[in-house]
Amino acid sequence: MRCVTFFMPELLAKMDKYPGGVCLLVISVDIILEIENLVVRRGDRTIVNAPHLAVRRGDLHTLIGLNGAGKSTIAYAVMGIIKPDSGRIIFEGRDITDLGITERARLGITLAWQEPARFEGITVGEYLSISAKNSVIDGGDDGGTGGVEKRVYEAMKMVALDPEKYLDRELGEGLSGGERKRIELAAVYLMRPKLAILDEPDSGIDMMSIYEVIGLIKTINAGGTTILLITHRQELAEIADRATLICAGSPVLTGTPVRVGEQFEEMCWRCSDRDFRLKKPGEPKPEECEEYEKYGV
Ligand SMILES: Nc1ncnc2c1ncn2[C@@H]1O[C@H](COP(=O)(O)OP(=O)(O)O)[C@@H](O)[C@H]1O
Ligand SMILES: [Mg+2]
């Protein structure tokens, strides 16, 4: 059994001390984000209770679950928008639980809101240029390609907005929710964060087809950004490498989207609009509850 020497020749010397030899197979999974024992309470309710959730670097990882399951709350805790009552958030091996939003953004985490923000007094063009200049993966370097403006135009085209019509408009009340949502996706594309949390990127995007959203998400992911995608749309969930089902504030199952989709209705009861309960093994259906529908749509 000398196979260790093929992988780790530097251990060869030690083999003499262990004459029997060791055959080691080291499988290392690169985890970019890890959540440990995360608890968020509001009043007397525990809205998130996540003992463990891990996202692998480079993955497109989706969180699925009905409205009210706790998905956005998990996203806000990772971005630092809310402070958890307990637990830890680890990013690239570093405990970021006590860091603020700006520090987390500097480390390469970005959140695209379910309801995108309005910015009065700043134009779409200015907002996207700032995003391009702050790109994390390439440090804002345009590689001498004459860059920022060209990239902004390209990003606008990717979200199917005409740059000539939009770049000088203010990013405020004058734009619809769907338009702001597309501009936010364009900003994520330009920022090239290490981790992008996309909270229901398809919601409110009426004119842009789901397939355009999928294309853009895949492009962002292919550019080296790990994506945590929150959705309850099956078409979106199925593009992911891995999926985690969130039920009643807890991750209950992680696996391929197909497997998680198949088991979705097996895992949770839907007991009212805001009451989702984990099924206990062998438990008969509580009177006030219904079966969860696949993907919750
Ligand atoms: N600030 C808050 N105060 C009280 N309840 C909240 C607050 N924020 C979220 N909730 C509740 O926590 C649950 C999870 O919300 P959320 O994370 O937005 O779910 P999802 O994104 O999966 O739809 C919901 O029942 C919601 O009403
Ligand atoms: Mg939400």
Side-chain angles (χ1 to χ4, degrees):
M1 289 255 296
R2 310 277 297 178
C3 60
V4 70
T5 62
F6 289 109
F7 302 114
M8 293 178 242
E10 69 275 17
L11 291 185
L12 188 60
K14 289 192 181 165
M15 295 289 284
D16 297 329
K17 293 185 191 156
Y18 304 102
V22 203
C23 185
L24 284 179
L25 179 61
V26 179
I27 300 172
S28 120
V29 178
D30 188 2
I31 301 294
I32 190 166
L33 175 74
E34 202 160 14
I35 288 172
E36 288 174 357
N37 299 317
L38 186 76
V39 174
V40 180
R41 294 195 193 90
R42 289 289 175 263
D44 57 359
R45 279 184 66 199
T46 298
I47 58 175
V48 167
N49 179 9
H52 188 249
L53 178 65
V55 176
R56 302 188 298 206
R57 188 185 300 277
D59 265 6
L60 204 171
H61 189 131
T62 183
L63 298 185
I64 59 175
L66 273 185
N67 281 337
K71 306 180 297 297
S72 292
T73 306
I74 292 173
Y76 298 157
V78 172
M79 191 68 236
I81 293 159
I82 59 161
K83 219 178 147 26
D85 290 81
S86 55
R88 297 199 314 151
I89 295 164
I90 315 289
F91 180 68
E92 296 194 306
R94 173 176 174 186
D95 187 339
I96 61 164
T97 320
D98 294 326
L99 299 187
I101 302 173
T102 315
E103 285 164 295
R104 295 186 201 205
R106 251 187 231 125
L107 292 178
I109 308 176
T110 294
L111 169 78
W113 296 76
Q114 191 168 348
E115 294 293 332
R118 295 177 176 83
F119 296 98
E120 306 296 341
I122 175 172
T123 66
V124 172
E126 285 162 349
Y127 173 70
L128 292 180
S129 299
I130 293 167
S131 305
K133 284 178 192 152
N134 283 293
S135 67
V136 175
I137 289 176
D138 57 13
D141 181 8
D142 64 21
T145 53
V148 166
E149 198 182 340
K150 200 167 131 196
R151 288 197 65 213
V152 167
Y153 267 68
E154 179 192 306
M156 289 294 280
K157 296 228 165 89
M158 293 203 68
V159 295
L161 290 178
D162 181 353
E164 304 296 338
K165 285 193 188 144
Y166 282 91
L167 286 178
D168 292 332
R169 289 181 62 182
E170 205 169 287
L171 191 54
E173 292 295 337
L175 294 174
S176 74
E179 286 167 333
R180 277 185 281 116
K181 195 104 187 173
R182 290 192 227 185
I183 290 161
E184 199 165 39
L185 281 176
V188 173
Y189 169 75
L190 290 168
M191 262 185 260
R192 308 191 64 208
K194 289 183 182 170
L195 172 68
I197 308 165
L198 307 179
D199 196 353
E200 306 211 7
D202 53 310
S203 78
I205 299 195
D206 38 341
M207 284 145 61
M208 190 179 176
S209 82
I210 188 80
Y211 297 103
E212 283 172 299
V213 178
I214 287 173
L216 182 58
I217 292 172
K218 284 185 169 170
T219 304
I220 294 171
N221 187 224
T225 294
T226 303
I227 294 185
L228 188 58
L229 170 65
I230 297 174
T231 186
H232 54 223
R233 287 279 290 267
Q234 185 170 350
E235 302 97 311
L236 261 188
E238 284 181 351
I239 66 168
D241 301 298
R242 305 230 295 165
T244 296
L245 170 61
I246 308 292
C247 179
S250 298
V252 291
L253 178 70
T254 295
T256 64
V258 170
R259 178 165 167 256
V260 172
E262 280 165 4
Q263 300 204 0
F264 196 81
E265 64 263 53
E266 307 288 321
M267 310 278 308
C268 321
W269 298 115
R270 176 184 187 159
C271 305
S272 77
D273 274 357
R274 296 271 171 232
D275 183 11
F276 310 113
R277 293 182 209 159
L278 285 183
K279 286 183 181 175
K280 298 186 186 94
E283 179 197 30
K285 184 173 89 62
E287 207 172 297
E288 66 279 23
C289 303
E290 299 164 15
E291 296 281 342
Y292 224 130
E293 283 167 35
K294 197 173 181 189
Y295 284 106
V297 262

